[in-house]
Structures are given as C-alpha cells and as structure tokens.
C-alpha cells in the first residue's frame, strides 16, 4: 500500500521482500533513500543497514519503517546506521515529509 501511495506522489521505487533481495536490488540501482522494515525474513533490517553502512559503496539515506517504536528499538536503529525511524502507523504526510527532508 505504501509503495502505491508513494508512486502516486511521484516517487520512483522498487520493492524487495527480504533482506538479501534488497541488497541485491541495491547493487543494480543507485537509490537515494531506503525504507527498511526491521522484521524481515533472513537478514533483518538491522543487518541490512549495518551491511550497507559498512560496505564499499555509498550508502543511501536509511529509514527504519517499522511497527516497533520503543526506546530500545530506536537506539538499536541508530547503532545499526539508520538515519531516521518511522512507525508504520505514521500518516502519509509524515512519511512524505521525511522523504523530502532526506532528499534535501
């Protein structure tokens, strides 16, 4: 649903459904922003963020997009290398605002 809404607002995007697929996709394109769920199968969002931050390529702006919003999760996101954290219940205008800030 979020992908459809972001497309309707002019964003070009690609979707991956697990961490390894996302990493492979990022090798094919130059993404400006990556929204990562934390609870993906295989590699978690934390794992993907850490691999991107420690990898040889320029890392895109990383947004943790998750249902988890407790202080420990937010702290772990920062440690893994995320630039920001959004809760999945965030209204669309907040998601769009976050993306605009990342692109600025």
């Amino acid at each position: 649903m979020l992908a459809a809404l972001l497309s309707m607002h002019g964003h070009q995007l690609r979707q991956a459904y697990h961490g390894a697929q996302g990493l492979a996709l990022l090798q094919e394109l130059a993404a400006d922003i990556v929204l990562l769920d934390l609870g993906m199968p295989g590699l978690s969002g934390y794992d993907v963020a850490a691999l991107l931050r420690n990898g040889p390529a320029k890392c895109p702006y990383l947004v943790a997009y998750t249902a988890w919003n407790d202080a420990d999760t937010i702290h772990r996101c920062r440690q893994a290398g995320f630039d920001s954290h959004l809760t999945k219940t965030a209204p669309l205008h907040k998601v769009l605002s976050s993306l605009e800030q990342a692109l600025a």
Side-chain angles (χ1 to χ4, degrees):
M1 177 63 89
L2 181 62
L5 290 170
L6 292 176
S7 290
M8 289 172 37
H9 282 85
H11 293 280
Q12 296 178 1
L13 54 108
R14 301 287 173 96
Q15 291 177 263
Y17 297 96
H18 54 80
Q21 183 184 25
L23 288 171
L25 185 61
L26 286 169
Q27 290 179 344
E28 298 173 17
L29 57 95
D32 295 317
I33 302 169
V34 174
L35 278 85
L36 281 171
D37 193 351
L38 299 178
M40 296 184 293
L43 295 172
S44 72
Y46 297 115
D47 296 331
V48 172
L51 288 168
L52 290 172
R53 285 287 178 228
N54 296 319
K58 180 180 179 283
C59 184
Y61 189 90
L62 299 177
V63 179
Y65 188 65
T66 179
W68 300 325
N69 195 29
D70 58 279
D72 183 53
T73 298
I74 294 169
H75 177 72
R76 286 185 64 199
C77 286
R78 291 281 180 220
Q79 286 183 316
F82 282 97
D83 296 296
S84 66
H85 176 277
L86 282 173
T87 305
K88 283 186 179 179
T89 57
L92 180 60
H93 74 273
K94 188 169 183 176
V95 175
L96 292 171
S97 174
S98 178
L99 296 180
E100 288 172 17
Q101 288 176 355
L103 291 171

